[in-house]
C-alpha cells in the first residue's frame, strides 16, 4: 500500500506557485523601480511603462497581436510593456530586465506567425517599438533611414511622397512591421527584379545586450550580415535600418485574373511553373490558390488568382504574355497602368478598389485572423497528377479555408549566392510556397481541425518540395519545425529547426551570437544559440 501523502506534499505545488508569483511580482516591481531610476526626471514615464494595473495595458498589448489564436485570456501576459520614445529607454529596459531576471520580447509590427514578439512562458517584458517609426527619405542618394516600429505601408507611402520613380522591394501587406520583416528577409512583388528587403539593407542602428549603440561600422560585418535575414529576436534590438531604394517606372502595370478548375486552372498552374520563374524579371506573377464553392450545389472548386506586377506598360506586358503564356488568355482589359504606390494598394489585397495611398498608413487595416501557416520551396515543376492530388486535399476542408501562395523565383533570386545574407533559399528554387488555413471561431475543436488540415497539406507536399533539408522561411515562423528547450539549448539541438530556415548559414549565425550575446539573454523558442570555439561544441566559452 502506498503511504498516505503528507499535508506538506499536497500543499507543495500551491506553495511553489505562491513563491513563484511573489518572486515574479518582485521582479516586476524591481524592473519598474530600476527603469524609473534610469530615466531620472522623465515626466512622460506613464506613457512608456505599462504594468497590468494600467487601464491601457490590455489595449496596448492587444493592438499589435495580429494572430487571433494568441488573443485569448490564456496567452501569457508580460509583466510590463515598455514603449520607448528613444534609445535611452531601450537601454534602460535591457539593463533592468537583465538585472531582475525578466526575458525581453521585441515587438515591431506584431505579425509573427507564432507570436514570438509578445508571448513567452517565462516572466517577460515586451519592448514595443511602435513609437519609433520615423522615416527619412534621401531622394538624391536613393536611400532612406527607417525605424523598426514603422510599418511597410508607411515606408512605401513616405517614399512615394518624395518620388514617383523610387520604391522598396518588401512585402505585400502594409501593416507588417519593418523591424521583424527586414530582419527576417522580406519578399514582395519586386522580388524577381530586386531581391529581398534584407538584400537592400545598407546600414543599421542596433543596441546590444550591454546597451551599446552600434552601426554597421562599429558592429562589424559579421553582425551586420546576420541582421539582414536573421535579425528578428536573435541578437539584440534593431532600432533602424538604412535601405537602398530601387528604381521603378513612372507607371507600372498590374493584373489580377482568376481561373477555376472549369477554366483549365490545373493546366495553367502546371504551365506557370515553367513560365513564371524564367520570364523577364520585370514581371512577378504570383499565384493565389484557394478552395471555393462551385456553382454546383454542395461542391467545391479551386480558384487560382494570377496576381502580377509588371515594371512597364501594358503593351509590352501583353506581348510578353502572348509570347510566353498565351494559354492564360490575358487581355488589355485585365491590365491597369498606375503609379507604383497605387500598385502597392491594389496588390495588398485588403483595400477597396480605388482606395487612396493614405490607407497604407492605417496600422489596423489588416483583418486579424485565426490562421496557421507553413512554408516550402520547390526545385522542380510538380506534375499534373501531383497538382490534381493537391486539389483533393483542398476539398477536405471548408470552402475559403485553405490557401496557398506560389511566388516565382528566378531573376535576382538566382543571381545571389546562398551565403550573401542569412536567407539561403535562392537559385535552386523555381518558386516558394506559403501554405495556410483560416478559420473564424475560437472553439478549440474547430481550431484543431483546421491546424490538422494544414499539417496534412504539408505532408502531402513532401515529395514535391525541397528536401535535405526540407526548407522553411524564418519570417514564416513555424514551431512545428522544432523549438528550443527551456533554459540552455545546444547548437545541435537548435539545428533541427535552424538549418531549415538558414541551411549552412546557421553555423555562422550561432558564432555571431556567441560574440554578440554570449549569455543568450535574447532567447526564445526559436532563437539562435551561441556556438563557441571552432570545433562545433557549444560548451564553455
Ligand atoms: C498578414 C501578414 C502578411 C504577411 N505578408 C508577408 C509578405 O508579403 N512577405 C513576407 O516576406 N512576409 C510576410 N509576412 C511575414 C512577416 O514578414 C513576418 O511575420 C515579420 O517577421 C513580421 O514583422 P513584424 O515586425 O510585424 O513582427 P513582430 O511580430 O513584431 O516581430 C517578428 C520577430 O522579429 C523580432 N523583432 C521585431 N522587431 C525587432 C527589432 N526591432 N529588433 C530585433 N528583433 C525584432 C520579434 O521579436 C519576433 O521574433 C506576413 C505576415 C502576416 C501576419
Ligand atoms: C527635475 O525636474 C525638475 C522640475 O521639472 C527640475 O527643477 C529639476 O532640476 C530636474 N532635475 C534633474 C536632475 O534633471
Ligand atoms: C547624399 O550623400 C552624400 C554622401 O553621403 C551626402 O553628403 C549628402 O548630404 C546626401 N544628400 C542628401 C540630400 O542628404
Ligand atoms: C502614367 O500614367 C498617367 C495616368 O495615369 C499618365 O498621365 C502619364 O502620362 C503616364 N506616364 C507615362 C510615362 O506613361
Ligand atoms: C481549356 O483548354 C482547352 C484545350 O486546351 C480549350 O479548348 C478550352 O477553350 C479551354 N477552356 C477555357 C475555359 O479556357
Ligand atoms: C483602419 O482600418 C480599419 C479596418 O478596415 C477601420 O476599421 C478603421 O476605421 C481604419 N482607420 C482609419 C483611421 O481609417
Amino acid at each position: 500500500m502506498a503511504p498516505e501523502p503528507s499535508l506538506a506534499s499536497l500543499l507543495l505545488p500551491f506553495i511553489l506557485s505562491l513563491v513563484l508569483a511573489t518572486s515574479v511580482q518582485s521582479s516586476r516591481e524591481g524592473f519598474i523601480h530600476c527603469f524609473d531610476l534610469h530615466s531620472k526626471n522623465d515626466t512622460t514615464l506613464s506613457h512608456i511603462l505599462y504594468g497590468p494595473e494600467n487601464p491601457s495595458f490590455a489595449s496596448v498589448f492587444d493592438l499589435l497581436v495580429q494572430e487571433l489564436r494568441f488573443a485569448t485570456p490564456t496567452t501569457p501576459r508580460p509583466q510590463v510593456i515598455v514603449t520607448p520614445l528613444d534609445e535611452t529607454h531601450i537601454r534602460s529596459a535591457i539593463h533592468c530586465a537583465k538585472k531582475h531576471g525578466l526575458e525581453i520580447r521585441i515587438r515591431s509590427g506584431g505579425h509573427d506567425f507564432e507570436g514570438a514578439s509578445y508571448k513567452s512562458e517565462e516572466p517577460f517584458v515586451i519592448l514595443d517599438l511602435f513609437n519609433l517609426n520615423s522615416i527619412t527619405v534621401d531622394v538624391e542618394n536613393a536611400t532612406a533611414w527607417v525605424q523598426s516600429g514603422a510599418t511597410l505601408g508607411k515606408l512605401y507611402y513616405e517614399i512615394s511622397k518624395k518620388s514617383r520613380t523610387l520604391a522598396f522591394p518588401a512585402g505585400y501587406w502594409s501593416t507588417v512591421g519593418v523591424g521583424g520583416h527586414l530582419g527576417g528577409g522580406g519578399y514582395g512583388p519586386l522580388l524577381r527584379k530586386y531581391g529581398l528587403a534584407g538584400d537592400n539593407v545598407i546600414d543599421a542602428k542596433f543596441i546590444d545586450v550591454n546597451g551599446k549603440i552600434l552601426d554597421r561600422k562599429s558592429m562589424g560585418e559579421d553582425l551586420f550580415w546576420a541582421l539582414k535575414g536573421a535579425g528578428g529576436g536573435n541578437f539584440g534590438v534593431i532600432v533602424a535600418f538604412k535601405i537602398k531604394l530601387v528604381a521603378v517606372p513612372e507607371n507600372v502595370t498590374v493584373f489580377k485574373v482568376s481561373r477555376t478548375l472549369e477554366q483549365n486552372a490545373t493546366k495553367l498552374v502546371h504551365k506557370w511553373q515553367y513560365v513564371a520563374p524564367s520570364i523577364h524579371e520585370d514581371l512577378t506573377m504570383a499565384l493565389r490558390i484557394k478552395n471555393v464553392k462551385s456553382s454546383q450545389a454542395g461542391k467545391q472548386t479551386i480558384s487560382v488568382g494570377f496576381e502580377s506586377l509588371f515594371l512597364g506598360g501594358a503593351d509590352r506586358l501583353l506581348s510578353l504574355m502572348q509570347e510566353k503564356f498565351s494559354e492564360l488568355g490575358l487581355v488589355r482589359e485585365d491590365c491597369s497602368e498606375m503609379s507604383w504606390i497605387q500598385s502597392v494598394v491594389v496588390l495588398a489585397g485588403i483595400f477597396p478598389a480605388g482606395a487612396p495611398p493614405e490607407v497604407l498608413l492605417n496600422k489596423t487595416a489588416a483583418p486579424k485572423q485565426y490562421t496557421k501557416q507553413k512554408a516550402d520551396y520547390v526545385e522542380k515543376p510538380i506534375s499534373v497528377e501531383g497538382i490534381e492530388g493537391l486539389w483533393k486535399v483542398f476539398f477536405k476542408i471548408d470552402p475559403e479555408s485553405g490557401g496557398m501562395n506560389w511566388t516565382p523565383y528566378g531573376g535576382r533570386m538566382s543571381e545571389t549566392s546562398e551565403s550573401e545574407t542569412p536567407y539561403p533559399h535562392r537559385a535552386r528554387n523555381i518558386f516558394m510556397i506559403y501554405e495556410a488555413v483560416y478559420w473564424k471561431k475560437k472553439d478549440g475543436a474547430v481550431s484543431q481541425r483546421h491546424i490538422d488540415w494544414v499539417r496534412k497539406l504539408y505532408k502531402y507536399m513532401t515529395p514535391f518540395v525541397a528536401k535535405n533539408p526540407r526548407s522553411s522561411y524564418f519570417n514564416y515562423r513555424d514551431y512545428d519545425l522544432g523549438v528550443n528547450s527551456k533554459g540552455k539549448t545546444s547548437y545541435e539541438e537548435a539545428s533541427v529547426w535552424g538549418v531549415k530556415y538558414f541551411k549552412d548559414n546557421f553555423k555562422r549565425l550561432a558564432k555571431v551570437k556567441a560574440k554578440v550575446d554570449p549569455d543568450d539573454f535574447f532567447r526564445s523558442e526559436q532563437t539562435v544559440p551561441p556556438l563557441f570555439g571552432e570545433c562545433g561544441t557549444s560548451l564553455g566559452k
Side-chain angles (χ1 to χ4, degrees):
M1 210 174 80
E4 288 282 311
S6 71
L7 186 64
S9 75
L10 282 175
L11 284 179
L12 195 62
F14 175 72
I15 294 169
L16 274 181
S17 70
L18 208 69
V19 169
L20 211 66
T22 319
S23 85
V24 167
Q25 172 156 8
S26 79
S27 296
R28 169 165 72 230
E29 283 161 5
F31 177 89
I32 292 173
H33 183 65
C34 169
F35 198 96
D36 271 341
L37 278 182
H38 262 250
S39 311
K40 299 212 170 67
N41 227 359
D42 204 330
T43 50
T44 57
L45 220 53
S46 63
H47 302 295
I48 298 169
L49 278 189
Y50 297 83
E53 71 292 342
N54 188 313
S56 304
F57 179 79
S59 61
V60 172
F61 178 80
D62 287 346
L63 182 68
L64 297 179
V65 173
Q66 183 62 30
E67 172 56 60
L68 287 179
R69 269 190 295 145
F70 308 131
T72 69
T74 55
T75 302
R77 297 299 194 267
Q79 296 304 309
V80 184
I81 303 172
V82 184
T83 62
L85 299 173
D86 58 36
E87 282 106 17
T88 60
H89 297 144
I90 298 177
R91 300 169 71 184
S92 303
I94 295 171
H95 171 82
C96 298
K98 246 186 346 190
K99 187 163 170 199
H100 292 280
L102 295 168
E103 283 190 358
I104 276 197
R105 295 299 160 111
I106 310 159
R107 183 159 78 172
S108 286
H111 280 52
D112 192 276
F113 287 168
E114 296 283 7
S117 54
Y118 52 83
K119 205 162 105 324
S120 174
E121 297 300 325
E122 303 297 323
F124 71 111
V125 171
I126 293 180
L127 192 59
D128 198 323
L129 302 179
F130 66 77
N131 285 319
L132 297 177
N133 60 18
S134 77
I135 295 168
T136 341
V137 177
D138 174 354
V139 172
E140 186 184 88
N141 293 309
T143 59
W145 271 105
V146 50
Q147 287 189 311
S148 292
T151 60
L152 296 183
K154 181 167 178 185
L155 172 59
Y156 298 151
Y157 181 81
E158 295 298 336
I159 295 170
S160 75
K161 281 276 139 194
K162 292 282 182 73
S163 163
R164 190 174 167 123
T165 53
L166 287 176
F168 187 65
Y172 287 87
W173 278 51
S174 56
T175 52
V176 168
V178 161
H181 186 75
L182 274 61
Y187 76 92
L190 291 170
L191 147 118
R192 298 189 67 244
K193 177 92 172 186
Y194 292 116
L196 303 176
D199 301 352
N200 292 280
V201 164
I202 52 179
D203 203 340
K205 192 173 198 187
F206 175 83
I207 301 185
D208 75 8
V209 66
N210 300 313
K212 253 206 208 134
I213 303 180
L214 304 170
D215 65 4
R216 177 173 183 170
K217 203 160 162 223
S218 54
M219 77 176 73
E221 285 302 306
D222 271 347
L223 175 56
F224 179 66
W225 168 85
L227 296 183
K228 293 188 290 182
N234 279 317
F235 305 102
V237 181
I238 300 160
V239 182
F241 283 113
K242 185 179 185 183
I243 57 177
K244 191 169 72 197
L245 304 180
V246 301
V248 289
E250 231 177 81
N251 291 329
V252 300
T253 306
V254 172
F255 71 84
K256 282 183 169 190
V257 299
S258 61
R259 302 286 185 261
T260 61
L261 293 188
E262 295 70 30
Q263 296 166 316
N264 290 340
T266 306
K267 255 194 231 164
L268 292 172
V269 168
H270 184 253
K271 178 80 190 273
W272 174 92
Q273 302 175 97
Y274 294 88
V275 176
S278 61
I279 203 165
H280 195 286
E281 66 187 20
D282 280 345
L283 178 62
T284 296
M285 177 169 40
L287 299 187
R288 305 270 180 262
I289 299 171
K290 59 184 177 184
N291 58 327
V292 296
K293 282 191 181 134
S294 96
S295 51
Q296 277 177 280
K299 290 221 157 171
Q300 291 196 34
T301 186
I302 297 290
S303 161
V304 180
F306 295 78
E307 303 204 348
S308 310
L309 176 67
F310 180 65
L311 298 175
D315 288 339
R316 187 156 75 90
L317 172 62
L318 281 164
S319 69
L320 191 61
M321 290 296 283
Q322 186 53 41
E323 182 194 342
K324 306 278 187 192
F325 201 18
S326 59
E327 298 88 335
L328 185 61
L330 192 74
V331 294
R332 177 161 277 276
E333 292 68 46
D334 297 324
C335 304
S336 312
E337 292 183 352
M338 59 186 79
S339 62
W340 169 73
I341 196 65
Q342 203 59 48
S343 81
V344 170
V345 174
V346 173
L347 290 171
I350 49 178
F351 302 113
E358 281 70 26
V359 293
L360 297 172
L361 299 173
N362 186 341
K363 285 188 163 192
T364 55
K368 296 189 176 188
Q369 320 181 80
Y370 293 97
T371 55
K372 171 71 190 159
Q373 302 96 333
K374 306 177 86 65
D376 264 314
Y377 293 87
V378 177
E379 295 173 349
K380 290 194 305 280
I382 303 171
S383 65
V384 168
E385 295 71 35
I387 296 168
E388 283 168 344
L390 177 59
W391 304 156
K392 289 195 187 121
V393 179
F394 267 95
F395 294 150
K396 294 196 174 126
I397 193 76
D398 317 350
E400 312 271 353
S401 295
M404 258 189 172
N405 295 342
W406 293 13
T407 303
Y409 270 40
R412 175 62 63 90
M413 294 306 283
S414 298
E415 294 154 10
T416 311
S417 84
E418 294 197 352
S419 58
E420 175 96 11
T421 77
Y423 184 95
H425 317 293
R426 305 277 183 172
R428 286 192 224 174
N429 305 302
I430 53 173
F431 59 98
M432 173 195 183
I433 297 183
Y434 160 85
E435 293 134 337
V437 66
Y438 310 92
W439 66 99
K440 293 213 164 62
K441 276 209 320 223
K442 190 145 98 188
D443 180 274
V446 174
S447 300
Q448 199 54 54
R449 181 163 66 83
H450 285 83
I451 293 171
D452 287 347
W453 177 81
V454 83
R455 289 180 179 147
K456 234 178 270 165
L457 175 73
Y458 185 74
K459 189 161 175 228
Y460 174 80
M461 293 307 290
T462 307
F464 308 113
V465 298
K467 316 174 223 321
N468 309 317
R470 178 136 188 203
S471 301
S472 190
Y473 172 29
F474 183 53
N475 261 343
Y476 285 176
R477 195 189 299 282
D478 179 5
Y479 286 169
D480 290 355
L481 304 180
V483 291
N484 294 342
S485 47
K486 286 194 178 179
K488 288 247 180 288
T489 296
S490 69
Y491 169 77
E492 289 73 19
E493 211 181 324
S495 297
V496 170
W497 58 264
V499 299
K500 293 177 177 163
Y501 293 138
F502 302 114
K503 295 194 187 179
D504 291 345
N505 295 331
F506 191 59
K507 188 168 236 175
R508 182 169 172 199
L509 290 170
K511 289 181 182 170
V512 173
K513 173 77 172 181
K515 278 195 220 141
V516 182
D517 181 22
D519 296 325
D520 204 12
F521 174 66
F522 293 102
R523 67 172 178 276
S524 74
E525 290 83 344
Q526 280 183 349
T527 42
V528 178
L531 176 64
F532 301 97
E534 283 303 321
C535 47
T537 155
S538 51
L539 302 171
K541 289 181 195 176

